[in-house]
Amino acid sequence: MIAIIQRVSESAVRIDGELKGEIGLGLMVLLGIEEADDQEDIDWLSKKIVNLRIFGDENGVMNKSLKDIGGELLLISQFTLHASTKKGNRPSYIKAAKPDIAIPLYEGFIQTVEQELGQPIQTGEFGADMKVSLVNDGPVTISIDSKNKK
């Protein structure tokens, strides 16, 4: 699993012009799922995201996590994170999991991160054409690949 994590002051996702999810201070996470992902990836990545210390403390030092500040999380599925651009100019998405594998993993990730965070999260809709807006706070953007945890 690949996650692009952005610290935001606000973020929203719309589908067909309708608001699907919206948060204030917190994290907007783009999540890419590949065929080889499993529950171990879900557990490790959800714990890492919720406890990542990228929010300022009373001295302005990035020393607090999403959990520490009681922030919100907006999760968006994005298969294009697994794009391969080695050959030619048209990206290949061969590593991205097909929906029959990706949807259960995506839903499992939602449940696991909600348990880890201790509150519900906002989401987009798997496979939908979504319009995502955000105000990146900092800017702070971090990429994490669960296959590079060791």
Side-chain angles (χ1 to χ4, degrees), residues 38-75:
D38 59 20
Q39 188 64 44
E40 183 179 326
D41 295 285
I42 291 172
D43 294 342
W44 182 84
L45 189 56
S46 62
K47 179 173 244 150
K48 181 64 83 171
I49 290 170
V50 168
N51 293 296
L52 197 61
R53 296 179 357 191
I54 58 173
F55 292 92
D57 64 14
E58 54 281 345
N59 297 316
V61 176
M62 283 196 269
N63 204 24
K64 291 194 173 203
S65 70
L66 184 65
K67 204 171 192 176
D68 293 334
I69 67 158
E72 299 175 286
L73 192 144
L74 174 61
L75 181 70

Side-chain angles (χ1 to χ4, degrees), residues 43 46-47 50-51 67 111-118:
D43 294 342
S46 62
K47 179 173 244 150
V50 168
N51 293 296
K67 204 171 192 176
Q111 291 174 349
T112 303
V113 81
E114 285 180 338
Q115 289 171 352
E116 191 68 39
L117 188 56

Side-chain angles (χ1 to χ4, degrees), residues 13-20 123-125 128-131:
V13 59
R14 294 181 183 281
I15 301 170
D16 296 327
E18 297 289 322
L19 184 65
K20 170 71 169 101
T123 67
E125 182 179 309
D129 181 18
M130 298 175 272
K131 306 300 181 217

